[in-house]
Amino acid sequence: MASKQHPEADVYREFLIAVLLHNEAVADRLGLQPVDVAAAILLEMRGPLAVGAISEELGLPSASTTRLIDRLEKAGYARRVRGERDRRTVTVELVEGGMDDYYAACEASRRHLDAISAHYTPEQVPVLLGLFTRVGEAYRSATKELRENPS
């Protein structure tokens, strides 16, 4: 049993469960799938992306990405934009105000997370951000391995 030998692993697992459940709750509130929320966040962070880049970032087949973009368009979050020089190229971008419902759905989590900041000094913030960056990289690498080497 992990909790007797490695209680820190259980703390981390509880964290992962909480994040996953929160993302599902936000997606439910917005009438989207959790992966749709992830795509909208990617578009917000990185700006317009080619359809293929979204597929790669989320590890989705192109058909699944097409359906995801259809859902984001229907819900008013994003739109497809054809290239001016090459009409075959398509990028996806957020629409103006498209994330407003997302921000509203995340209000409670922002409030709770803001309360946590009182427990950390400004000097600790870079360490925490470094940890989050490395954990994200580790999970992306592990996800890639899982998808490339199915057993």
PDB file of all heavy atoms in Angstrom, residues 71-108:
ATOM      1  N   ARG A  71     -16.614  21.832 -31.687  1.00  0.00           N
ATOM      2  CA  ARG A  71     -17.288  22.124 -30.407  1.00  0.00           C
ATOM      3  C   ARG A  71     -16.912  23.511 -29.895  1.00  0.00           C
ATOM      4  O   ARG A  71     -17.775  24.252 -29.404  1.00  0.00           O
ATOM      5  CB  ARG A  71     -16.949  21.052 -29.366  1.00  0.00           C
ATOM      6  CG  ARG A  71     -17.547  19.697 -29.649  1.00  0.00           C
ATOM      7  CD  ARG A  71     -17.363  18.731 -28.494  1.00  0.00           C
ATOM      8  NE  ARG A  71     -15.980  18.471 -28.133  1.00  0.00           N
ATOM      9  CZ  ARG A  71     -15.239  17.468 -28.609  1.00  0.00           C
ATOM     10  NH1 ARG A  71     -15.744  16.624 -29.513  1.00  0.00           N
ATOM     11  NH2 ARG A  71     -13.995  17.306 -28.202  1.00  0.00           N
ATOM     12  N   LEU A  72     -15.628  23.882 -29.999  1.00  0.00           N
ATOM     13  CA  LEU A  72     -15.204  25.214 -29.545  1.00  0.00           C
ATOM     14  C   LEU A  72     -15.850  26.317 -30.377  1.00  0.00           C
ATOM     15  O   LEU A  72     -16.229  27.357 -29.838  1.00  0.00           O
ATOM     16  CB  LEU A  72     -13.674  25.340 -29.589  1.00  0.00           C
ATOM     17  CG  LEU A  72     -12.893  24.549 -28.547  1.00  0.00           C
ATOM     18  CD1 LEU A  72     -11.393  24.733 -28.760  1.00  0.00           C
ATOM     19  CD2 LEU A  72     -13.283  24.958 -27.117  1.00  0.00           C
ATOM     20  N   GLU A  73     -15.984  26.088 -31.674  1.00  0.00           N
ATOM     21  CA  GLU A  73     -16.656  27.079 -32.528  1.00  0.00           C
ATOM     22  C   GLU A  73     -18.129  27.199 -32.164  1.00  0.00           C
ATOM     23  O   GLU A  73     -18.648  28.309 -32.003  1.00  0.00           O
ATOM     24  CB  GLU A  73     -16.523  26.691 -34.003  1.00  0.00           C
ATOM     25  CG  GLU A  73     -15.199  27.057 -34.614  1.00  0.00           C
ATOM     26  CD  GLU A  73     -15.189  26.855 -36.114  1.00  0.00           C
ATOM     27  OE1 GLU A  73     -15.670  25.809 -36.595  1.00  0.00           O
ATOM     28  OE2 GLU A  73     -14.699  27.762 -36.810  1.00  0.00           O
ATOM     29  N   LYS A  74     -18.794  26.067 -32.033  1.00  0.00           N
ATOM     30  CA  LYS A  74     -20.228  26.073 -31.714  1.00  0.00           C
ATOM     31  C   LYS A  74     -20.500  26.767 -30.381  1.00  0.00           C
ATOM     32  O   LYS A  74     -21.488  27.483 -30.228  1.00  0.00           O
ATOM     33  CB  LYS A  74     -20.743  24.630 -31.674  1.00  0.00           C
ATOM     34  CG  LYS A  74     -22.226  24.529 -31.432  1.00  0.00           C
ATOM     35  CD  LYS A  74     -22.684  23.090 -31.460  1.00  0.00           C
ATOM     36  CE  LYS A  74     -24.178  23.014 -31.167  1.00  0.00           C
ATOM     37  NZ  LYS A  74     -24.645  21.637 -31.105  1.00  0.00           N
ATOM     38  N   ALA A  75     -19.581  26.581 -29.414  1.00  0.00           N
ATOM     39  CA  ALA A  75     -19.751  27.183 -28.089  1.00  0.00           C
ATOM     40  C   ALA A  75     -19.305  28.649 -28.049  1.00  0.00           C
ATOM     41  O   ALA A  75     -19.465  29.316 -27.024  1.00  0.00           O
ATOM     42  CB  ALA A  75     -18.983  26.366 -27.043  1.00  0.00           C
ATOM     43  N   GLY A  76     -18.726  29.149 -29.138  1.00  0.00           N
ATOM     44  CA  GLY A  76     -18.334  30.554 -29.190  1.00  0.00           C
ATOM     45  C   GLY A  76     -16.972  30.871 -28.614  1.00  0.00           C
ATOM     46  O   GLY A  76     -16.685  32.029 -28.311  1.00  0.00           O
ATOM     47  N   TYR A  77     -16.106  29.881 -28.494  1.00  0.00           N
ATOM     48  CA  TYR A  77     -14.772  30.112 -27.938  1.00  0.00           C
ATOM     49  C   TYR A  77     -13.727  30.422 -29.004  1.00  0.00           C
ATOM     50  O   TYR A  77     -12.804  31.187 -28.760  1.00  0.00           O
ATOM     51  CB  TYR A  77     -14.300  28.884 -27.140  1.00  0.00           C
ATOM     52  CG  TYR A  77     -15.011  28.756 -25.834  1.00  0.00           C
ATOM     53  CD1 TYR A  77     -16.205  28.052 -25.736  1.00  0.00           C
ATOM     54  CD2 TYR A  77     -14.518  29.356 -24.690  1.00  0.00           C
ATOM     55  CE1 TYR A  77     -16.884  27.951 -24.540  1.00  0.00           C
ATOM     56  CE2 TYR A  77     -15.184  29.263 -23.487  1.00  0.00           C
ATOM     57  CZ  TYR A  77     -16.367  28.556 -23.420  1.00  0.00           C
ATOM     58  OH  TYR A  77     -17.036  28.473 -22.239  1.00  0.00           O
ATOM     59  N   ALA A  78     -13.834  29.769 -30.144  1.00  0.00           N
ATOM     60  CA  ALA A  78     -12.781  29.867 -31.150  1.00  0.00           C
ATOM     61  C   ALA A  78     -13.381  29.892 -32.549  1.00  0.00           C
ATOM     62  O   ALA A  78     -14.574  29.639 -32.734  1.00  0.00           O
ATOM     63  CB  ALA A  78     -11.828  28.673 -31.001  1.00  0.00           C
ATOM     64  N   ARG A  79     -12.508  30.204 -33.501  1.00  0.00           N
ATOM     65  CA  ARG A  79     -12.916  30.157 -34.903  1.00  0.00           C
ATOM     66  C   ARG A  79     -11.726  29.708 -35.742  1.00  0.00           C
ATOM     67  O   ARG A  79     -10.573  29.898 -35.374  1.00  0.00           O
ATOM     68  CB  ARG A  79     -13.422  31.500 -35.362  1.00  0.00           C
ATOM     69  CG  ARG A  79     -12.349  32.558 -35.395  1.00  0.00           C
ATOM     70  CD  ARG A  79     -12.854  33.865 -35.982  1.00  0.00           C
ATOM     71  NE  ARG A  79     -11.838  34.880 -35.729  1.00  0.00           N
ATOM     72  CZ  ARG A  79     -12.112  36.098 -35.323  1.00  0.00           C
ATOM     73  NH1 ARG A  79     -13.350  36.469 -35.140  1.00  0.00           N
ATOM     74  NH2 ARG A  79     -11.143  36.949 -35.116  1.00  0.00           N
ATOM     75  N   ARG A  80     -12.061  29.121 -36.878  1.00  0.00           N
ATOM     76  CA  ARG A  80     -11.053  28.734 -37.864  1.00  0.00           C
ATOM     77  C   ARG A  80     -10.775  29.940 -38.752  1.00  0.00           C
ATOM     78  O   ARG A  80     -11.702  30.661 -39.135  1.00  0.00           O
ATOM     79  CB  ARG A  80     -11.555  27.580 -38.718  1.00  0.00           C
ATOM     80  CG  ARG A  80     -11.650  26.266 -37.998  1.00  0.00           C
ATOM     81  CD  ARG A  80     -12.296  25.238 -38.942  1.00  0.00           C
ATOM     82  NE  ARG A  80     -12.269  23.897 -38.404  1.00  0.00           N
ATOM     83  CZ  ARG A  80     -13.232  23.358 -37.674  1.00  0.00           C
ATOM     84  NH1 ARG A  80     -14.312  24.059 -37.380  1.00  0.00           N
ATOM     85  NH2 ARG A  80     -13.127  22.114 -37.236  1.00  0.00           N
ATOM     86  N   VAL A  81      -9.507  30.112 -39.092  1.00  0.00           N
ATOM     87  CA  VAL A  81      -9.108  31.198 -39.986  1.00  0.00           C
ATOM     88  C   VAL A  81      -8.263  30.593 -41.103  1.00  0.00           C
ATOM     89  O   VAL A  81      -7.246  29.950 -40.828  1.00  0.00           O
ATOM     90  CB  VAL A  81      -8.306  32.281 -39.228  1.00  0.00           C
ATOM     91  CG1 VAL A  81      -7.862  33.383 -40.177  1.00  0.00           C
ATOM     92  CG2 VAL A  81      -9.119  32.848 -38.072  1.00  0.00           C
ATOM     93  N   ARG A  82      -8.704  30.795 -42.339  1.00  0.00           N
ATOM     94  CA  ARG A  82      -7.949  30.287 -43.492  1.00  0.00           C
ATOM     95  C   ARG A  82      -6.785  31.236 -43.795  1.00  0.00           C
ATOM     96  O   ARG A  82      -6.892  32.446 -43.622  1.00  0.00           O
ATOM     97  CB  ARG A  82      -8.850  30.181 -44.711  1.00  0.00           C
ATOM     98  CG  ARG A  82      -9.936  29.152 -44.518  1.00  0.00           C
ATOM     99  CD  ARG A  82     -10.229  28.440 -45.815  1.00  0.00           C
ATOM    100  NE  ARG A  82     -11.168  27.367 -45.590  1.00  0.00           N
ATOM    101  CZ  ARG A  82     -10.828  26.105 -45.357  1.00  0.00           C
ATOM    102  NH1 ARG A  82      -9.569  25.762 -45.335  1.00  0.00           N
ATOM    103  NH2 ARG A  82     -11.741  25.183 -45.159  1.00  0.00           N
ATOM    104  N   GLY A  83      -5.691  30.661 -44.253  1.00  0.00           N
ATOM    105  CA  GLY A  83      -4.521  31.457 -44.613  1.00  0.00           C
ATOM    106  C   GLY A  83      -4.824  32.389 -45.764  1.00  0.00           C
ATOM    107  O   GLY A  83      -5.581  32.040 -46.676  1.00  0.00           O
ATOM    108  N   GLU A  84      -4.250  33.577 -45.730  1.00  0.00           N
ATOM    109  CA  GLU A  84      -4.482  34.547 -46.803  1.00  0.00           C
ATOM    110  C   GLU A  84      -3.772  34.127 -48.085  1.00  0.00           C
ATOM    111  O   GLU A  84      -4.325  34.257 -49.168  1.00  0.00           O
ATOM    112  CB  GLU A  84      -4.019  35.941 -46.366  1.00  0.00           C
ATOM    113  CG  GLU A  84      -4.922  36.553 -45.318  1.00  0.00           C
ATOM    114  CD  GLU A  84      -4.499  37.959 -44.956  1.00  0.00           C
ATOM    115  OE1 GLU A  84      -3.794  38.605 -45.763  1.00  0.00           O
ATOM    116  OE2 GLU A  84      -4.886  38.405 -43.874  1.00  0.00           O
ATOM    117  N   ARG A  85      -2.569  33.614 -47.961  1.00  0.00           N
ATOM    118  CA  ARG A  85      -1.802  33.204 -49.146  1.00  0.00           C
ATOM    119  C   ARG A  85      -2.189  31.809 -49.614  1.00  0.00           C
ATOM    120  O   ARG A  85      -2.285  31.557 -50.794  1.00  0.00           O
ATOM    121  CB  ARG A  85      -0.310  33.245 -48.845  1.00  0.00           C
ATOM    122  CG  ARG A  85       0.199  34.639 -48.656  1.00  0.00           C
ATOM    123  CD  ARG A  85       1.675  34.643 -48.477  1.00  0.00           C
ATOM    124  NE  ARG A  85       2.119  35.986 -48.120  1.00  0.00           N
ATOM    125  CZ  ARG A  85       3.359  36.325 -47.974  1.00  0.00           C
ATOM    126  NH1 ARG A  85       4.297  35.435 -48.141  1.00  0.00           N
ATOM    127  NH2 ARG A  85       3.667  37.554 -47.652  1.00  0.00           N
ATOM    128  N   ASP A  86      -2.357  30.920 -48.644  1.00  0.00           N
ATOM    129  CA  ASP A  86      -2.711  29.539 -48.974  1.00  0.00           C
ATOM    130  C   ASP A  86      -3.996  29.202 -48.233  1.00  0.00           C
ATOM    131  O   ASP A  86      -3.983  28.968 -47.027  1.00  0.00           O
ATOM    132  CB  ASP A  86      -1.582  28.599 -48.571  1.00  0.00           C
ATOM    133  CG  ASP A  86      -1.846  27.152 -48.958  1.00  0.00           C
ATOM    134  OD1 ASP A  86      -2.981  26.832 -49.393  1.00  0.00           O
ATOM    135  OD2 ASP A  86      -0.914  26.332 -48.825  1.00  0.00           O
ATOM    136  N   ARG A  87      -5.097  29.182 -48.950  1.00  0.00           N
ATOM    137  CA  ARG A  87      -6.414  28.957 -48.332  1.00  0.00           C
ATOM    138  C   ARG A  87      -6.545  27.573 -47.729  1.00  0.00           C
ATOM    139  O   ARG A  87      -7.480  27.299 -46.998  1.00  0.00           O
ATOM    140  CB  ARG A  87      -7.528  29.187 -49.373  1.00  0.00           C
ATOM    141  CG  ARG A  87      -7.518  30.561 -50.017  1.00  0.00           C
ATOM    142  CD  ARG A  87      -7.976  31.664 -49.134  1.00  0.00           C
ATOM    143  NE  ARG A  87      -9.377  31.512 -48.797  1.00  0.00           N
ATOM    144  CZ  ARG A  87      -9.937  32.043 -47.723  1.00  0.00           C
ATOM    145  NH1 ARG A  87      -9.230  32.752 -46.900  1.00  0.00           N
ATOM    146  NH2 ARG A  87     -11.202  31.863 -47.476  1.00  0.00           N
ATOM    147  N   ARG A  88      -5.617  26.663 -48.051  1.00  0.00           N
ATOM    148  CA  ARG A  88      -5.662  25.310 -47.473  1.00  0.00           C
ATOM    149  C   ARG A  88      -5.178  25.291 -46.032  1.00  0.00           C
ATOM    150  O   ARG A  88      -5.515  24.384 -45.283  1.00  0.00           O
ATOM    151  CB  ARG A  88      -4.819  24.345 -48.303  1.00  0.00           C
ATOM    152  CG  ARG A  88      -5.361  24.131 -49.715  1.00  0.00           C
ATOM    153  CD  ARG A  88      -4.402  23.347 -50.530  1.00  0.00           C
ATOM    154  NE  ARG A  88      -3.185  24.142 -50.702  1.00  0.00           N
ATOM    155  CZ  ARG A  88      -2.089  23.735 -51.316  1.00  0.00           C
ATOM    156  NH1 ARG A  88      -2.027  22.532 -51.819  1.00  0.00           N
ATOM    157  NH2 ARG A  88      -1.045  24.527 -51.432  1.00  0.00           N
ATOM    158  N   THR A  89      -4.373  26.277 -45.652  1.00  0.00           N
ATOM    159  CA  THR A  89      -3.890  26.318 -44.275  1.00  0.00           C
ATOM    160  C   THR A  89      -4.975  26.901 -43.379  1.00  0.00           C
ATOM    161  O   THR A  89      -5.656  27.866 -43.736  1.00  0.00           O
ATOM    162  CB  THR A  89      -2.602  27.156 -44.130  1.00  0.00           C
ATOM    163  OG1 THR A  89      -2.880  28.497 -44.499  1.00  0.00           O
ATOM    164  CG2 THR A  89      -1.474  26.588 -44.983  1.00  0.00           C
ATOM    165  N   VAL A  90      -5.124  26.284 -42.232  1.00  0.00           N
ATOM    166  CA  VAL A  90      -6.149  26.720 -41.282  1.00  0.00           C
ATOM    167  C   VAL A  90      -5.505  26.858 -39.913  1.00  0.00           C
ATOM    168  O   VAL A  90      -4.814  25.959 -39.445  1.00  0.00           O
ATOM    169  CB  VAL A  90      -7.314  25.706 -41.208  1.00  0.00           C
ATOM    170  CG1 VAL A  90      -8.325  26.116 -40.149  1.00  0.00           C
ATOM    171  CG2 VAL A  90      -7.983  25.555 -42.557  1.00  0.00           C
ATOM    172  N   THR A  91      -5.729  28.013 -39.297  1.00  0.00           N
ATOM    173  CA  THR A  91      -5.340  28.190 -37.902  1.00  0.00           C
ATOM    174  C   THR A  91      -6.612  28.379 -37.091  1.00  0.00           C
ATOM    175  O   THR A  91      -7.672  28.706 -37.622  1.00  0.00           O
ATOM    176  CB  THR A  91      -4.400  29.409 -37.703  1.00  0.00           C
ATOM    177  OG1 THR A  91      -5.062  30.571 -38.177  1.00  0.00           O
ATOM    178  CG2 THR A  91      -3.079  29.221 -38.423  1.00  0.00           C
ATOM    179  N   VAL A  92      -6.465  28.160 -35.811  1.00  0.00           N
ATOM    180  CA  VAL A  92      -7.588  28.317 -34.894  1.00  0.00           C
ATOM    181  C   VAL A  92      -7.198  29.411 -33.910  1.00  0.00           C
ATOM    182  O   VAL A  92      -6.085  29.420 -33.380  1.00  0.00           O
ATOM    183  CB  VAL A  92      -7.891  26.993 -34.157  1.00  0.00           C
ATOM    184  CG1 VAL A  92      -9.069  27.160 -33.216  1.00  0.00           C
ATOM    185  CG2 VAL A  92      -8.140  25.871 -35.158  1.00  0.00           C
ATOM    186  N   GLU A  93      -8.127  30.326 -33.686  1.00  0.00           N
ATOM    187  CA  GLU A  93      -7.869  31.416 -32.745  1.00  0.00           C
ATOM    188  C   GLU A  93      -9.077  31.603 -31.847  1.00  0.00           C
ATOM    189  O   GLU A  93     -10.201  31.262 -32.209  1.00  0.00           O
ATOM    190  CB  GLU A  93      -7.543  32.710 -33.485  1.00  0.00           C
ATOM    191  CG  GLU A  93      -8.685  33.260 -34.307  1.00  0.00           C
ATOM    192  CD  GLU A  93      -8.302  34.516 -35.094  1.00  0.00           C
ATOM    193  OE1 GLU A  93      -7.110  34.730 -35.339  1.00  0.00           O
ATOM    194  OE2 GLU A  93      -9.232  35.261 -35.444  1.00  0.00           O
ATOM    195  N   LEU A  94      -8.816  32.148 -30.674  1.00  0.00           N
ATOM    196  CA  LEU A  94      -9.911  32.483 -29.766  1.00  0.00           C
ATOM    197  C   LEU A  94     -10.663  33.684 -30.315  1.00  0.00           C
ATOM    198  O   LEU A  94     -10.072  34.552 -30.946  1.00  0.00           O
ATOM    199  CB  LEU A  94      -9.374  32.831 -28.378  1.00  0.00           C
ATOM    200  CG  LEU A  94      -8.798  31.691 -27.561  1.00  0.00           C
ATOM    201  CD1 LEU A  94      -8.210  32.224 -26.263  1.00  0.00           C
ATOM    202  CD2 LEU A  94      -9.843  30.632 -27.276  1.00  0.00           C
ATOM    203  N   VAL A  95     -11.961  33.716 -30.058  1.00  0.00           N
ATOM    204  CA  VAL A  95     -12.736  34.889 -30.432  1.00  0.00           C
ATOM    205  C   VAL A  95     -12.680  35.892 -29.279  1.00  0.00           C
ATOM    206  O   VAL A  95     -12.433  35.519 -28.126  1.00  0.00           O
ATOM    207  CB  VAL A  95     -14.206  34.535 -30.777  1.00  0.00           C
ATOM    208  CG1 VAL A  95     -14.265  33.580 -31.958  1.00  0.00           C
ATOM    209  CG2 VAL A  95     -14.928  33.968 -29.596  1.00  0.00           C
ATOM    210  N   GLU A  96     -12.894  37.142 -29.605  1.00  0.00           N
ATOM    211  CA  GLU A  96     -12.890  38.198 -28.586  1.00  0.00           C
ATOM    212  C   GLU A  96     -13.919  37.874 -27.505  1.00  0.00           C
ATOM    213  O   GLU A  96     -15.084  37.612 -27.814  1.00  0.00           O
ATOM    214  CB  GLU A  96     -13.232  39.543 -29.239  1.00  0.00           C
ATOM    215  CG  GLU A  96     -13.171  40.719 -28.308  1.00  0.00           C
ATOM    216  CD  GLU A  96     -11.752  41.159 -28.015  1.00  0.00           C
ATOM    217  OE1 GLU A  96     -10.872  40.949 -28.878  1.00  0.00           O
ATOM    218  OE2 GLU A  96     -11.523  41.709 -26.933  1.00  0.00           O
ATOM    219  N   GLY A  97     -13.492  37.838 -26.260  1.00  0.00           N
ATOM    220  CA  GLY A  97     -14.385  37.538 -25.143  1.00  0.00           C
ATOM    221  C   GLY A  97     -14.742  36.072 -25.024  1.00  0.00           C
ATOM    222  O   GLY A  97     -15.562  35.697 -24.183  1.00  0.00           O
ATOM    223  N   GLY A  98     -14.124  35.241 -25.846  1.00  0.00           N
ATOM    224  CA  GLY A  98     -14.456  33.822 -25.855  1.00  0.00           C
ATOM    225  C   GLY A  98     -14.181  33.100 -24.549  1.00  0.00           C
ATOM    226  O   GLY A  98     -14.818  32.099 -24.253  1.00  0.00           O
ATOM    227  N   MET A  99     -13.247  33.613 -23.777  1.00  0.00           N
ATOM    228  CA  MET A  99     -12.885  32.940 -22.525  1.00  0.00           C
ATOM    229  C   MET A  99     -13.639  33.498 -21.313  1.00  0.00           C
ATOM    230  O   MET A  99     -13.394  33.069 -20.189  1.00  0.00           O
ATOM    231  CB  MET A  99     -11.373  33.047 -22.293  1.00  0.00           C
ATOM    232  CG  MET A  99     -10.536  32.293 -23.316  1.00  0.00           C
ATOM    233  SD  MET A  99     -10.732  30.501 -23.237  1.00  0.00           S
ATOM    234  CE  MET A  99      -9.680  30.109 -21.849  1.00  0.00           C
ATOM    235  N   ASP A 100     -14.544  34.424 -21.524  1.00  0.00           N
ATOM    236  CA  ASP A 100     -15.253  35.043 -20.401  1.00  0.00           C
ATOM    237  C   ASP A 100     -15.997  34.014 -19.538  1.00  0.00           C
ATOM    238  O   ASP A 100     -15.931  34.074 -18.307  1.00  0.00           O
ATOM    239  CB  ASP A 100     -16.233  36.103 -20.897  1.00  0.00           C
ATOM    240  CG  ASP A 100     -15.527  37.330 -21.459  1.00  0.00           C
ATOM    241  OD1 ASP A 100     -14.293  37.456 -21.299  1.00  0.00           O
ATOM    242  OD2 ASP A 100     -16.220  38.164 -22.078  1.00  0.00           O
ATOM    243  N   ASP A 101     -16.684  33.081 -20.166  1.00  0.00           N
ATOM    244  CA  ASP A 101     -17.398  32.053 -19.397  1.00  0.00           C
ATOM    245  C   ASP A 101     -16.411  31.159 -18.641  1.00  0.00           C
ATOM    246  O   ASP A 101     -16.690  30.729 -17.524  1.00  0.00           O
ATOM    247  CB  ASP A 101     -18.274  31.193 -20.306  1.00  0.00           C
ATOM    248  CG  ASP A 101     -19.483  31.941 -20.831  1.00  0.00           C
ATOM    249  OD1 ASP A 101     -19.819  33.011 -20.270  1.00  0.00           O
ATOM    250  OD2 ASP A 101     -20.092  31.465 -21.802  1.00  0.00           O
ATOM    251  N   TYR A 102     -15.273  30.882 -19.253  1.00  0.00           N
ATOM    252  CA  TYR A 102     -14.229  30.086 -18.586  1.00  0.00           C
ATOM    253  C   TYR A 102     -13.755  30.818 -17.322  1.00  0.00           C
ATOM    254  O   TYR A 102     -13.659  30.228 -16.252  1.00  0.00           O
ATOM    255  CB  TYR A 102     -13.065  29.819 -19.536  1.00  0.00           C
ATOM    256  CG  TYR A 102     -11.876  29.222 -18.842  1.00  0.00           C
ATOM    257  CD1 TYR A 102     -11.843  27.873 -18.519  1.00  0.00           C
ATOM    258  CD2 TYR A 102     -10.787  30.011 -18.489  1.00  0.00           C
ATOM    259  CE1 TYR A 102     -10.758  27.317 -17.855  1.00  0.00           C
ATOM    260  CE2 TYR A 102      -9.699  29.464 -17.835  1.00  0.00           C
ATOM    261  CZ  TYR A 102      -9.680  28.122 -17.525  1.00  0.00           C
ATOM    262  OH  TYR A 102      -8.606  27.587 -16.861  1.00  0.00           O
ATOM    263  N   TYR A 103     -13.457  32.104 -17.461  1.00  0.00           N
ATOM    264  CA  TYR A 103     -13.002  32.875 -16.295  1.00  0.00           C
ATOM    265  C   TYR A 103     -14.056  32.873 -15.191  1.00  0.00           C
ATOM    266  O   TYR A 103     -13.722  32.750 -14.013  1.00  0.00           O
ATOM    267  CB  TYR A 103     -12.677  34.319 -16.682  1.00  0.00           C
ATOM    268  CG  TYR A 103     -11.559  34.468 -17.676  1.00  0.00           C
ATOM    269  CD1 TYR A 103     -11.649  35.395 -18.696  1.00  0.00           C
ATOM    270  CD2 TYR A 103     -10.417  33.674 -17.614  1.00  0.00           C
ATOM    271  CE1 TYR A 103     -10.638  35.547 -19.618  1.00  0.00           C
ATOM    272  CE2 TYR A 103      -9.398  33.821 -18.533  1.00  0.00           C
ATOM    273  CZ  TYR A 103      -9.510  34.757 -19.533  1.00  0.00           C
ATOM    274  OH  TYR A 103      -8.510  34.900 -20.446  1.00  0.00           O
ATOM    275  N   ALA A 104     -15.304  33.004 -15.568  1.00  0.00           N
ATOM    276  CA  ALA A 104     -16.377  32.988 -14.572  1.00  0.00           C
ATOM    277  C   ALA A 104     -16.455  31.630 -13.882  1.00  0.00           C
ATOM    278  O   ALA A 104     -16.628  31.553 -12.658  1.00  0.00           O
ATOM    279  CB  ALA A 104     -17.721  33.330 -15.231  1.00  0.00           C
ATOM    280  N   ALA A 105     -16.294  30.558 -14.656  1.00  0.00           N
ATOM    281  CA  ALA A 105     -16.347  29.213 -14.075  1.00  0.00           C
ATOM    282  C   ALA A 105     -15.174  28.956 -13.133  1.00  0.00           C
ATOM    283  O   ALA A 105     -15.285  28.153 -12.211  1.00  0.00           O
ATOM    284  CB  ALA A 105     -16.369  28.165 -15.189  1.00  0.00           C
ATOM    285  N   CYS A 106     -14.073  29.649 -13.354  1.00  0.00           N
ATOM    286  CA  CYS A 106     -12.868  29.447 -12.529  1.00  0.00           C
ATOM    287  C   CYS A 106     -12.761  30.428 -11.367  1.00  0.00           C
ATOM    288  O   CYS A 106     -11.759  30.440 -10.653  1.00  0.00           O
ATOM    289  CB  CYS A 106     -11.619  29.538 -13.406  1.00  0.00           C
ATOM    290  SG  CYS A 106     -11.469  28.175 -14.558  1.00  0.00           S
ATOM    291  N   GLU A 107     -13.767  31.242 -11.166  1.00  0.00           N
ATOM    292  CA  GLU A 107     -13.716  32.251 -10.095  1.00  0.00           C
ATOM    293  C   GLU A 107     -13.461  31.624  -8.730  1.00  0.00           C
ATOM    294  O   GLU A 107     -12.627  32.106  -7.964  1.00  0.00           O
ATOM    295  CB  GLU A 107     -15.004  33.069 -10.081  1.00  0.00           C
ATOM    296  CG  GLU A 107     -15.126  34.043  -8.921  1.00  0.00           C
ATOM    297  CD  GLU A 107     -13.941  35.010  -8.792  1.00  0.00           C
ATOM    298  OE1 GLU A 107     -13.385  35.426  -9.819  1.00  0.00           O
ATOM    299  OE2 GLU A 107     -13.575  35.332  -7.649  1.00  0.00           O
ATOM    300  N   ALA A 108     -14.164  30.552  -8.404  1.00  0.00           N
ATOM    301  CA  ALA A 108     -13.985  29.928  -7.083  1.00  0.00           C
ATOM    302  C   ALA A 108     -12.567  29.388  -6.925  1.00  0.00           C
ATOM    303  O   ALA A 108     -11.946  29.572  -5.867  1.00  0.00           O
ATOM    304  CB  ALA A 108     -15.003  28.807  -6.880  1.00  0.00           C
TER     305      ALA A 108
END
